[in-house]
Amino acid sequence: MAVLPQLPLWGLWVALLSAAVLTLGFVATGIHGFSAGEFTVDQELSRTHDGFLTAVAMTLNYVFSPAGGVAIIALCALFLLIVRKSPVNAIAFGGTAAAGYLSSQFFKAIVERQRPNPALLFDPLAPETGSNSFPSGHVALAVGLAWAFWFLARNTRWSRLAVILGVLVPVVLAWSRLYIGVHYPSDVIASFLASSAAVLLFVGVWNRFQGRLLPRMPLLDRFGPVRPDAAPAAHS
């Protein structure tokens, strides 16, 4: 992971994806009746709760919570650092996943969309309130982790599995946030865009500066010198 796959004109992609997130957020909060129309999806899902689906949704709710996300990222990074003795991979993995999650906090502070009213659900499973609905932090975390695992697994026999799970897990998690009733559909859609924008930004910065910064980090000396890498090439 010393050099990560990088899109041509990555800065433009970051700007376009971020603009799409902000546009969707301001439309959702600025157009009267937009949220009410979306909320019907949450209400219909709330009518059909059953034991198994509820168990799946609530498990995902806790696993991909902020605390759970920190634990996942930290454990994976420590595994790469201590077991695999790969500090570069540990830093790149942690940075990629964290960037995906932190994107949600950035856009939440700008858009400030109120969460769906749990009192209007037929079966509220995890009542939440506040102006932090857009976008979903849970989904943004899952997307960031998906990118991080794919970067780690690419060019290995695990690459295809990383792609499959990297699509499946965030999609199922997005469904679970609507099933529980704590987000609107546009919240979870925006999470895919926001997290991907942050990952592309991280990749661009990482590829630009890692060759200068990593050799200066004292921690890396314990695992041997960092080999110089060629300048990153653009990948489609």
Side-chain angles (χ1 to χ4, degrees), residues 43-118:
Q43 289 178 312
E44 288 303 312
L45 289 172
S46 183
R47 291 176 182 269
T48 59
H49 286 172
D50 68 37
F52 174 74
L53 294 179
T54 296
V56 170
M58 294 307 295
T59 299
L60 293 173
N61 180 55
Y62 294 119
V63 170
F64 288 91
S65 66
V70 170
I72 294 172
I73 295 172
L75 288 173
C76 290
L78 286 173
F79 174 82
L80 293 170
L81 177 64
I82 297 173
V83 178
R84 302 296 295 178
K85 300 187 185 307
S86 180
V88 174
N89 283 357
I91 296 170
F93 180 95
T96 300
Y101 171 69
L102 292 175
S103 68
S104 67
Q105 306 308 304
F106 173 78
F107 288 109
K108 282 177 187 290
I110 296 175
V111 176
E112 295 187 328
R113 187 184 196 183
Q114 293 294 323
R115 286 188 181 271
N117 186 350

Side-chain angles (χ1 to χ4, degrees), residues 205-224:
V205 174
W206 172 266
N207 286 344
R208 179 68 177 83
F209 294 105
Q210 59 85 14
R212 301 177 186 177
L213 298 179
L214 292 180
R216 302 179 183 178
M217 298 181 66
L219 175 65
L220 302 187
D221 294 338
R222 300 182 182 181
F223 298 88

Side-chain angles (χ1 to χ4, degrees), residues 123-202:
D123 182 23
L125 296 174
E128 294 186 38
T129 57
S131 58
N132 60 344
S133 186
F134 183 98
S136 166
H138 284 64
V139 178
L141 169 63
V143 174
L145 284 168
W147 279 109
F149 277 113
W150 181 74
F151 288 156
L152 188 64
R154 76 189 196 282
N155 300 324
T156 73
R157 60 176 178 167
W158 303 107
S159 178
R160 180 174 297 180
L161 179 62
V163 171
I164 293 172
L165 293 179
V167 173
L168 181 62
V169 173
V171 168
V172 172
L173 187 60
W175 158 84
S176 75
R177 305 310 286 160
L178 303 180
Y179 181 89
I180 294 174
V182 291
H183 283 289
Y184 298 99
S186 57
D187 295 342
V188 298
I189 292 172
S191 299
F192 287 87
L193 305 178
S195 187
S196 295
V199 168
L200 292 177
L201 176 61
F202 174 81

